[in-house]
Amino acid sequence: MGGLNIQGQYREPRMALDKIVQAPPQAVFLDIQMPERNGIELAERILQEHPDTAIIFVTAYDEYAIKAFELNALDYLLKPIQYDRLQKTIERLFKSRPPQPASVLQAGREPVTIRWKTVKGQEVFAFLLHHRGTVVKKQVLLDQLWPDIDWKKGITQLYTTVYPIRKTLNEEGLAIQIVNCDEGYLLEMNGTRLDVSEWEAALDGAPELTGETVDGHLRLSQQYRGDYLADHHYRWAETERSRLRGKFLQHAHRLARCRSTISIGILPRSACTFQKKSGRKQKAVLRGFRRLAEQL
């Protein structure tokens, strides 16, 4: 089809994975049933190596549709494939863009990924950012981040950690400031925005999910690139992590039920209970996917 450059075609999943790792393509079309390893497993390995790769499943089996949510599949094509349906997938591929790697946004400039000098400095900043706009007592920071050392040593560690954070923020040219305040610290954003806040605000302000608005809702779903601070597994972030995941899952349920398009989004692996809550509901969703595929 016009605009596509096919880098390779493979029958063996192992050979395909080797080639994809060496020269990552923008998109990979995968069958589900393959020798040695199925398409779901291969997609997981591809995304581990190259998270921005678009995955399109091509299969005769609709029971894998829910699993496709977990992998952020761009689309899910049922055999036999109709030309018009494939053309829509290609159009969606051209419109899709890899996610921005940064988590801090500032008005008037590109998103910024902050590279911290120490792991502890990163966590202190993350904790203050988590509580942005409110005073965080030094004792709270010590209890959360230095629970096993005495107060005097902890304060020394805190002071020697906060100074490099301020220096890094200044070097990055960010407007974020850490202000000494009332036996603690106050992180002021000063116009700097966060991707997670932007996503939640867009979700809360999104129009009603209908056939006309489903593409916008799909883009919102695809912007959820994993759980809040998932790479760090901070215990103190678990409540917020669960809250945001819940909002995403509610939205994903609504997308899955929408009959206007095959809306493939993403589900974090920790949310697999979605598949297990109601077998009847799951079958209804899958039947919906099949009918929509036939219509589109």
Side-chain angles (χ1 to χ4, degrees):
M1 302 186 73
L4 290 182
N5 177 26
I6 300 176
Q7 294 182 211
Q9 302 178 59
Y10 306 96
R11 291 184 178 275
E12 298 295 329
R14 186 178 303 175
M15 181 180 295
L17 181 61
D18 290 342
K19 296 296 183 181
I20 290 168
V21 170
Q22 293 173 13
Q26 181 182 356
V28 177
F29 287 75
L30 291 174
D31 201 341
I32 298 290
Q33 299 294 343
M34 295 188 293
E36 297 182 6
R37 174 182 288 171
N38 68 38
I40 296 291
E41 294 172 346
L42 182 57
E44 289 175 341
R45 286 289 290 112
I46 293 170
L47 293 174
Q48 286 175 6
E49 298 290 338
H50 300 290
D52 295 341
T53 303
I55 302 294
I56 297 101
F57 287 109
V58 182
T59 179
Y61 306 95
D62 62 2
E63 61 263 32
Y64 296 97
I66 298 298
K67 182 65 176 178
F69 271 96
E70 296 179 34
L71 299 175
N72 190 28
L74 181 74
D75 214 338
Y76 191 92
L77 300 176
L78 291 175
K79 299 177 182 179
I81 300 174
Q82 302 297 318
Y83 180 88
D84 291 344
R85 181 67 183 84
L86 179 59
Q87 184 62 46
K88 289 189 177 184
T89 299
I90 301 304
E91 291 173 0
R92 182 177 295 174
L93 175 61
F94 287 151
K95 291 178 181 179
S96 67
R97 296 182 299 174
Q100 297 289 349
S103 59
V104 180
L105 311 171
Q106 185 164 328
R109 61 177 292 179
E110 290 296 314
V112 174
T113 297
I114 303 174
R115 309 203 178 276
W116 302 104
K117 297 179 180 178
T118 66
V119 173
K120 187 59 71 174
Q122 183 181 52
E123 185 173 9
V124 170
F125 176 77
F127 191 85
L128 293 175
L129 189 67
H130 179 73
H131 295 282
R132 57 193 176 277
T134 60
V135 176
V136 180
K137 299 288 187 179
K138 294 175 183 176
Q139 187 61 55
V140 172
L141 284 163
L142 296 180
D143 292 341
Q144 291 288 337
L145 308 182
W146 285 277
D148 300 323
I149 61 177
D150 63 60
W151 189 86
K152 187 175 181 180
K153 289 183 179 179
I155 284 293
T156 300
Q157 291 279 353
L158 180 59
Y159 289 159
T160 57
T161 300
V162 170
Y163 174 76
I165 294 175
R166 286 170 165 157
K167 184 177 180 181
T168 298
L169 294 173
N170 184 60
E171 290 172 350
E172 293 287 349
L174 293 171
I176 299 174
Q177 292 184 328
I178 299 176
V179 179
N180 291 330
C181 184
D182 191 24
E183 295 300 319
Y185 297 104
L186 172 67
L187 189 140
E188 296 180 342
M189 299 298 290
N190 296 321
T192 304
R193 311 190 315 273
L194 299 180
D195 57 356
V196 62
S197 299
E198 298 279 287
W199 174 81
E200 186 172 16
L203 183 64
D204 291 342
E208 182 181 356
L209 180 56
T210 65
E212 295 180 352
T213 64
V214 69
D215 285 344
H217 280 269
L218 178 59
R219 286 191 292 270
L220 274 174
S221 178
Q222 292 174 334
Q223 288 170 17
Y224 188 96
R225 306 302 298 185
D227 284 346
Y228 177 67
L229 295 175
D231 292 340
H232 307 290
H233 305 291
Y234 300 140
R235 286 187 179 182
W236 47 263
E238 183 56 39
T239 299
E240 182 69 354
R241 186 178 297 127
S242 297
R243 185 185 72 82
L244 291 170
R245 183 191 305 143
K247 293 190 71 167
F248 168 75
L249 286 174
Q250 290 178 1
H251 186 243
H253 276 248
R254 291 164 53 210
L255 268 177
R257 290 195 300 267
C258 182
R259 297 174 182 271
S260 300
T261 187
I262 300 179
S263 301
I264 301 297
I266 52 174
L267 283 177
R269 289 182 178 84
S270 55
C272 290
T273 51
F274 166 60
Q275 303 177 37
K276 302 174 183 178
K277 285 184 179 179
S278 172
R280 183 176 301 173
K281 180 180 292 186
Q282 181 179 346
K283 291 179 181 177
V285 170
L286 292 174
R287 285 197 296 271
F289 273 115
R290 173 179 288 173
R291 285 194 294 270
L292 289 172
E294 293 170 351
Q295 294 168 9
L296 296 173

